[in-house]
Amino acid sequence: MKKLILILFILLSGTGFVFAQGGWKLSTEKDGIKVYTGRVPDSKIKAIKVECKVEASAAQLVALLMDVNNSVDWISRTKSCRLIRQVSPSDIYYYSEVNLPWPAENRDFVAHLMVTQNPDTKVVTIDGPAVRGMVPEKKGIVRITSSVGKWTITPCGYQLVKVEYTLHTDPGGNIPAWMVNIFATDGPLQVFENLKQQVKKPAYKNAVVPYIQDSPDGLFSKL
């Protein structure tokens, strides 16, 4: 079951945004990765927030997160992940199915990723709620329709960004909320450890994203 909850975090690591009610509580910290939990109104499932610094540019992170077709290369147990509609280079829809260990049923979802950048601060925001429709539901697979989260990428040095990620998701099916909450902080640590390594690969290391402008020297945040 611990693996199941970790996978459910991973499969939605590209989606949405949420505010926790009553602030955030530090749950775990490792290798500079801090994971917080917080309560959400009218939900028994806690929200999570992850903060860390990554040795990369904002463009590198955006290139990695928007490269949904290749997420199977680094997100474990992803059975399939494919782009289904590209509105623009910074606005896409994608579908993903994830293998879960028996006796749990596989999960799938459709997400809408939208990238924006503040022209003054150069802070990048990626919103991507799970959305209904676009791909018919499949027998034997639980469709996740309730998930919101947000990526915030803040330049704070040459080839250095602060990443903040928030997520609240209901995995659906018959997994009790208390069990989701127990293991909710394990998945983020693995995801961000993988992210730090993946972004160094040639496909992303020298990535140029036309709609993302990295901060020039002297204009970095002191976060």
Side-chain angles (χ1 to χ4, degrees):
M1 185 57 68
K2 181 176 180 179
K3 289 183 178 179
L4 171 58
I5 304 304
L6 182 150
I7 293 164
L8 290 177
F9 173 87
I10 291 174
L11 69 87
L12 286 163
S13 62
T15 65
F17 174 66
V18 67
F19 287 104
Q21 186 179 46
W24 298 98
K25 181 180 179 181
L26 182 64
S27 177
T28 186
E29 181 177 0
K30 180 183 178 183
D31 298 330
I33 303 169
K34 296 180 180 181
V35 183
Y36 301 81
T37 59
R39 296 199 173 277
V40 176
D42 302 319
S43 177
K44 294 181 179 180
I45 297 176
K46 293 181 180 179
I48 64 164
K49 179 174 73 168
V50 188
E51 293 181 344
C52 76
K53 288 186 177 180
V54 179
E55 294 181 354
S57 67
Q60 284 177 252
L61 263 295
V62 171
L64 172 61
L65 296 173
M66 296 294 280
D67 187 15
V68 294
N69 287 336
N70 288 314
S71 62
V72 295
D73 295 338
W74 64 285
I75 301 178
S76 62
R77 288 188 176 271
T78 298
K79 182 176 181 179
S80 66
C81 192
R82 58 185 174 86
L83 179 70
I84 56 175
R85 182 186 176 193
Q86 182 165 354
V87 179
S88 72
S90 60
D91 188 337
I92 65 173
Y93 292 82
Y94 73 96
Y95 167 84
S96 185
E97 179 185 347
V98 177
N99 281 319
L100 298 184
W102 185 90
E105 296 177 306
N106 283 4
R107 261 62 174 176
D108 70 357
F109 64 93
V110 176
H112 182 194
L113 292 185
M114 298 161 283
V115 184
T116 57
Q117 183 177 35
N118 184 301
D120 298 319
T121 65
K122 309 307 180 189
V123 173
V124 176
T125 300
I126 304 178
D127 291 295
V131 298
R132 298 175 183 271
M134 300 192 74
V135 174
E137 294 189 25
K138 302 177 182 179
K139 185 177 180 180
I141 300 175
V142 177
R143 174 64 52 88
I144 294 177
T145 59
S146 179
S147 180
V148 288
K150 182 180 183 179
W151 292 88
T152 302
I153 303 168
T154 304
C156 54
Y158 177 70
Q159 288 292 297
L160 183 67
V161 294
K162 178 185 176 181
V163 180
E164 180 181 292
Y165 176 64
T166 55
L167 173 70
H168 181 250
T169 185
D170 185 342
N174 57 2
I175 304 173
W178 65 265
M179 190 169 293
V180 175
N181 291 334
I182 286 176
F183 300 117
T185 59
D186 292 332
L189 288 174
Q190 180 173 327
V191 169
F192 273 74
E193 287 171 354
N194 291 346
L195 179 148
K196 286 183 176 182
Q197 296 304 313
Q198 187 72 10
V199 78
K200 295 178 182 178
K201 292 187 175 181
Y204 312 109
K205 187 174 182 179
N206 300 311
V208 175
V209 180
Y211 55 89
I212 297 298
Q213 182 180 358
D214 285 308
S215 293
D217 292 344
L219 295 181
F220 296 112
S221 167
K222 294 182 179 180
L223 293 174

